[in-house]
Amino acid sequence: MMDKETAKHRAEELRRTIDQYSYEYYTLDEPSVPDSEYDRLMQELMAIEEEHPELRTPDSPTQRVGGAVLESFQKVQHGTPMLSLGNAFNDDDLRDFDRRVRQAVGDGVAYNVELKIDGLAVSLRYEDGYFVRGATRGDGTTGEDITENLKTIRNIPLKMKRNLSIEVRGEAYMPKQSFEALNEERLKHEEEPFANPRNAAAGSLRQLDPKIAAKRNLDIFVYSIAELDEMGVETQSQGLDFLDELGFKTNQERKKCATIDEVIEMIEELQAKRADLPYEIDGIVIKVDSLDQQEELGYTAKSPRWAIAYKFPAEEVVTKLLDIELNVGRTGVITPTAVLEPVKVAGTTVSRASLHNEDLIKEKDIRILDKVVVKKAGDIIPEVVNVLVEQRTGEEKEFNMPTSCPECGSELVRIEGEVALRCINPECPAQIREGLIHFVSRNAMNIDGLGERVITQLFREHLVRNVADLYKLTKEQVIRLERMGEKSTDNLISSIQKSKENSLERLLFGLGIRFIGSKAAKTLAMHFESLENLKQATEEELLAVDEIGEKMADAVITYFRKEEMLELLNELEELGVNTLYKGPKKVKAEDSDSYFAGKTIVLTGKLEELSRNEAKAQIEALGGKLTGSVSKKTDLVIAGEAAGSKLEKAQELNIEVWNEAQLLGELKK
């Protein structure tokens, strides 16, 4: 038996050695010792830590085997949103993307081309070099804490090679070999096999027992740092090299391209390799390489303007269209859906596909019992491509849209300028049900446990008729529903009560006002600050709000003119639902006496006291306007550590430059 001091030194030596062997094996794919030697050292380290638990460290390789079973996943707010990418499906789409980029930033553009790994996007948070938290992408703003499961992935360093505090993003995935082995095991135990490696990876990382995730042999490629320019890095390609230096595994199938023609050539090369790769990919990602140009291009509400995902041509298969069903959406739109003879497409079994509207059915001459070609648009959404007319037998039946709503029997109308048929009966049960599902969804009131299945039951049992009824539900009513036990019922009631505290923008989006998406709801909530102010807003006042157009303004006014809607909102207020905006307030320059009021400001480099988002929020609250690039119109540059080219450009243009201490001093006034 070792004394404590000897054990401490031996444990430290073992950790260093095992970490090096792991890096060589999992990241470099160049093992320097046999598996038996690695296993022997690991067993020795486990024995020392078992004997001296106080010597066990957070970055010890023994921590990868899976910890205690969790009760649930905690929510995590992403410091920088994890946005999705816009899609390109052909060369013309790529050239359009290139044209838009060059129109915005000039012709001096290079692109970094990377594989789009088919897995689960995750963020990894490090403090002073140690891995402290990992989360799913979720809705881009809020994810789930899956730290313990991510620790089981050998290529995620528990301690980086430098003591930095950063957040990196990557794609966790299941290699093809691991996927095949997992499905063989599941079939052996008469369990349903996973449809594809992506589903298997997602299912593994959402296991409450990390030991299960540990057995699944997942892997990861890291592709970005959330605030890369704070690291003194100026391009995406340099950023990937920097991640390599920190000990992360990045995908080496990447290339910097000087023109869009080079990008297209590279895509052809990578596409030819697709089948031989040991992991699944579902496309190629093209990013503007310069971080300055990325900031200048900025973002839409959903995606960066400086990146696009090229999606491979979809796999097409033939099947039989058995029937056409009609669905009524929350806005009353009638959507026809093809019921198909089940067929495997791009890794999953497809039995339904949207037909969108009556015009599409007529244009493609789609008939019931036709043989049809089906694909997944973007490898995700099933759609009918065309009909195999030459294979018709005479049994096929033409389809005609009904004149009345399939749910409530009301006469359907086609609004001028629209292709869709619509039910305009406000009492239509299908619209009410779909409206309830939208109201509780993640981007709206975000009520955990209240999904489509539970909503449908509540509606069927006549327990809810409108969104206000959700706040009247009792434990006795909910626990009688199918598959609702004591704990799930308590959690649901608690989640409903908690949603009352949401900021106004969530309520506005949840109400389903036509043309008002989550971004417009946030804009309106921030501007008017209360539901009462918004109710009374005139068309002129609405149009004066940035990004609110005529259609949106008209939809808002129409909504608040309806007596039944006003009654519903009054009822929600009486039930305790918050109707005030709780986020950071946007101050107009003319209303602020702050130094920042009306000034155009650029933040660059790493700040020590504040995060980039905190600094931005405080400056905007004082009437300042933040932009991503330095120009003659810039009034002030705030430069942190490793500020780089933006600081140099500010000095060239004689623009005032502050350090973080000056910023903090002004914010405290």
Side-chain angles (χ1 to χ4, degrees):
M1 180 175 169
M2 291 185 196
D3 63 76
K4 186 174 177 181
E5 195 60 29
T6 306
K8 180 183 177 186
H9 288 302
R10 179 57 180 159
E12 287 171 353
E13 182 187 2
L14 284 167
R15 286 187 201 108
R16 282 194 300 272
T17 305
I18 292 169
D19 282 343
Q20 180 59 31
Y21 289 163
S22 290
Y23 181 67
E24 290 167 354
Y25 185 94
Y26 292 104
T27 304
L28 302 181
D29 199 20
E30 295 173 356
S32 60
V33 294
D35 290 353
S36 56
E37 175 64 6
Y38 178 92
D39 293 341
R40 184 186 69 76
L41 296 176
M42 181 67 90
Q43 290 298 320
E44 185 183 348
L45 178 59
M46 289 173 75
I48 292 172
E49 290 182 351
E50 191 69 33
E51 193 173 320
H52 300 280
E54 69 278 8
L55 297 180
R56 190 177 289 126
T57 62
D59 62 325
S60 173
T62 62
Q63 300 305 293
R64 295 189 182 277
V65 296
V69 177
L70 306 172
E71 286 193 14
S72 63
F73 294 113
Q74 300 299 310
K75 298 292 184 189
V76 172
Q77 290 289 122
H78 298 302
T80 302
M82 295 181 71
L83 300 176
S84 55
L85 296 177
N87 291 328
F89 297 97
N90 51 50
D91 291 358
D92 288 342
D93 291 345
L94 290 171
R95 294 188 192 283
D96 282 344
F97 167 70
D98 176 57
R99 177 183 48 75
R100 293 194 300 272
V101 167
R102 288 186 291 104
Q103 278 179 348
V105 299
D107 288 334
V109 179
Y111 296 105
N112 207 60
V113 179
E114 305 164 26
L115 294 182
K116 188 173 184 296
I117 310 301
D118 195 11
L120 187 74
V122 296
S123 70
L124 313 174
R125 182 71 199 168
Y126 286 79
E127 297 289 348
D128 296 323
Y130 287 93
F131 178 46
V132 295
R133 191 186 71 205
T136 62
R137 178 183 177 275
D139 63 2
T141 303
T142 305
E144 290 180 320
D145 188 331
I146 54 168
T147 307
E148 295 307 313
N149 286 340
L150 287 170
K151 281 181 180 177
T152 68
I153 299 178
R154 303 279 179 171
N155 271 318
I156 294 178
L158 300 181
K159 188 177 188 307
M160 290 190 304
K161 292 184 177 179
R162 285 171 59 181
N163 296 336
L164 299 173
S165 296
I166 60 173
E167 187 174 320
V168 304
R169 273 53 192 287
E171 195 82 6
Y173 67 94
M174 182 172 283
K176 290 176 181 175
Q177 191 175 354
S178 302
F179 174 69
E180 288 163 10
L182 174 63
N183 269 352
E184 278 180 28
E185 189 67 21
R186 291 179 71 84
L187 288 168
K188 205 181 292 180
H189 291 89
E190 298 185 351
E191 295 175 321
E192 187 72 23
F194 284 106
N196 52 52
R198 187 194 183 285
N199 289 0
S204 302
L205 287 173
R206 296 200 75 260
Q207 291 287 335
L208 292 173
D209 184 355
K211 288 186 176 65
I212 296 175
K215 293 175 183 174
R216 298 280 176 87
N217 298 315
L218 299 178
D219 211 330
I220 191 169
F221 285 119
V222 173
Y223 53 73
S224 75
I225 299 175
E227 292 177 345
L228 193 53
D229 58 345
E230 294 187 6
M231 299 294 110
V233 174
E234 296 185 353
T235 66
Q236 168 68 11
S237 49
Q238 288 172 7
L240 290 168
D241 293 340
F242 181 57
L243 285 165
D244 288 335
E245 291 170 23
L246 293 176
F248 291 102
K249 181 181 179 181
T250 65
N251 192 286
Q252 299 302 307
E253 298 283 357
R254 60 184 192 245
K255 183 181 178 184
K256 183 175 173 180
C257 298
T259 66
I260 200 67
D261 288 325
E262 277 188 42
V263 169
I264 291 168
E265 284 176 25
M266 182 62 178
I267 286 172
E268 289 172 2
E269 286 178 31
L270 293 172
Q271 195 165 347
K273 293 181 179 179
R274 184 182 184 185
D276 298 325
L277 294 169
Y279 44 81
E280 293 286 356
I281 62 173
D282 59 351
I284 309 290
V285 177
I286 300 96
K287 299 175 183 175
V288 170
D289 197 43
S290 162
L291 300 187
D292 280 351
Q293 289 177 338
Q294 286 185 12
E295 284 210 43
E296 194 173 340
L297 285 157
Y299 301 81
T300 68
K302 295 181 179 177
S303 57
R305 292 191 177 93
W306 43 264
I308 199 164
Y310 175 85
K311 305 304 287 281
F312 296 130
E315 176 191 355
E316 296 185 347
V317 299
V318 175
T319 189
K320 194 172 189 177
L321 191 149
L322 303 176
D323 200 0
I324 295 176
E325 291 183 352
L326 299 171
N327 300 294
V328 185
R330 66 181 175 85
T331 61
V333 170
I334 312 297
T335 304
T337 299
V339 179
L340 306 169
E341 206 165 73
V343 63
K344 201 158 190 177
V345 189
T348 59
T349 301
V350 168
S351 58
R352 299 170 72 79
S354 172
L355 296 173
H356 301 291
N357 54 59
E358 183 180 21
D359 287 1
L360 181 138
I361 294 172
K362 287 180 176 175
E363 181 188 323
K364 295 187 176 181
D365 188 22
I366 296 171
R367 303 179 187 183
I368 295 169
L369 300 182
D370 264 333
K371 286 285 183 72
V372 293
V373 176
V374 177
K375 72 173 184 180
K376 281 187 182 176
D379 279 348
I380 298 170
I381 303 167
E383 68 173 43
V384 174
V385 180
N386 59 272
V387 173
L388 299 178
V389 177
E390 66 279 7
Q391 293 193 28
R392 281 183 175 159
T393 63
E395 295 179 357
E396 296 77 17
K397 294 175 260 182
E398 287 189 28
F399 176 80
N400 294 303
M401 290 289 280
T403 56
S404 58
C405 175
E407 288 275 351
C408 69
S410 298
E411 186 179 353
L412 299 177
V413 300
R414 182 179 283 203
I415 296 170
E416 190 177 346
E418 293 188 1
V419 295
L421 282 171
R422 194 182 293 271
C423 170
I424 56 172
N425 172 20
E427 296 299 312
C428 176
Q431 290 182 61
I432 295 169
R433 186 177 62 247
E434 292 298 319
L436 287 163
I437 292 167
H438 172 74
F439 184 81
V440 305
S441 65
R442 186 177 287 170
N443 288 340
M445 295 301 275
N446 193 26
I447 303 179
D448 278 345
L450 201 50
E452 185 173 344
R453 179 184 63 82
V454 178
I455 287 285
T456 301
Q457 284 192 72
L458 290 169
F459 195 77
R460 192 174 60 224
E461 299 295 323
H462 306 292
L463 294 173
V464 294
R465 285 288 301 165
N466 60 35
V467 297
D469 289 340
L470 295 171
Y471 295 98
K472 301 173 190 173
L473 289 170
T474 65
K475 181 176 178 177
E476 292 70 32
Q477 290 173 321
V478 174
I479 204 166
R480 293 202 304 264
L481 301 177
E482 294 170 21
R483 289 157 59 187
M484 291 299 290
E486 185 92 20
K487 188 172 182 182
S488 55
T489 298
D490 286 341
N491 289 341
L492 177 53
I493 296 294
S494 173
S495 186
I496 291 171
Q497 291 305 309
K498 185 182 175 187
S499 75
K500 290 180 179 181
E501 301 166 16
N502 285 339
S503 185
L504 173 61
E505 65 272 17
R506 284 188 171 275
L507 174 62
L508 280 181
F509 179 57
L511 292 172
I513 303 170
R514 203 162 177 219
F515 304 123
I516 303 300
S518 56
K519 187 182 179 188
K522 178 79 175 278
T523 300
L524 289 169
M526 186 183 287
H527 184 89
F528 290 101
E529 298 186 358
S530 74
L531 186 63
E532 193 57 39
N533 290 342
L534 182 58
K535 280 184 198 173
Q536 296 173 16
T538 64
E539 183 177 20
E540 188 179 3
E541 288 170 333
L542 287 162
L543 290 173
V545 180
D546 284 347
E547 300 179 17
I548 300 299
E550 287 184 17
K551 279 187 177 180
M552 290 180 179
D554 183 56
V556 170
I557 287 171
T558 301
Y559 184 89
F560 289 122
R561 275 186 189 150
K562 293 178 181 175
E563 195 61 40
E564 67 270 24
M565 297 308 171
L566 293 176
E567 288 174 9
L568 174 66
L569 295 173
N570 288 337
E571 192 174 2
L572 285 170
E573 285 193 70
E574 287 169 9
L575 288 163
V577 176
N578 174 63
T579 58
L580 301 175
Y581 174 63
K582 291 184 172 183
K585 295 196 168 69
K586 200 168 185 177
V587 177
K588 294 178 184 175
E590 60 269 25
D591 295 338
S592 173
D593 57 2
S594 161
Y595 173 85
F596 302 114
K599 286 188 167 61
T600 299
I601 299 161
V602 172
L603 284 169
T604 182
K606 180 172 175 56
L607 302 177
E608 296 295 330
E609 300 264 339
L610 298 171
S611 72
R612 182 75 68 92
N613 285 342
E614 287 168 342
K616 181 180 178 184
Q618 290 190 45
I619 291 167
E620 286 181 340
L622 293 168
K625 179 186 176 186
L626 273 294
T627 61
S629 57
V630 177
S631 70
K632 290 177 182 177
K633 294 179 181 178
T634 305
D635 296 303
L636 173 67
V637 170
I638 297 164
E641 187 184 335
S645 60
K646 291 180 189 174
L647 174 58
E648 292 170 13
K649 190 167 182 181
Q651 290 165 339
E652 283 172 22
L653 296 172
N654 292 318
I655 292 166
E656 186 174 4
V657 177
W658 284 8
N659 58 27
E660 185 175 6
Q662 289 170 285
L663 168 64
L664 291 169
E666 188 63 39
L667 290 174
K668 287 172 184 174
K669 285 184 180 177

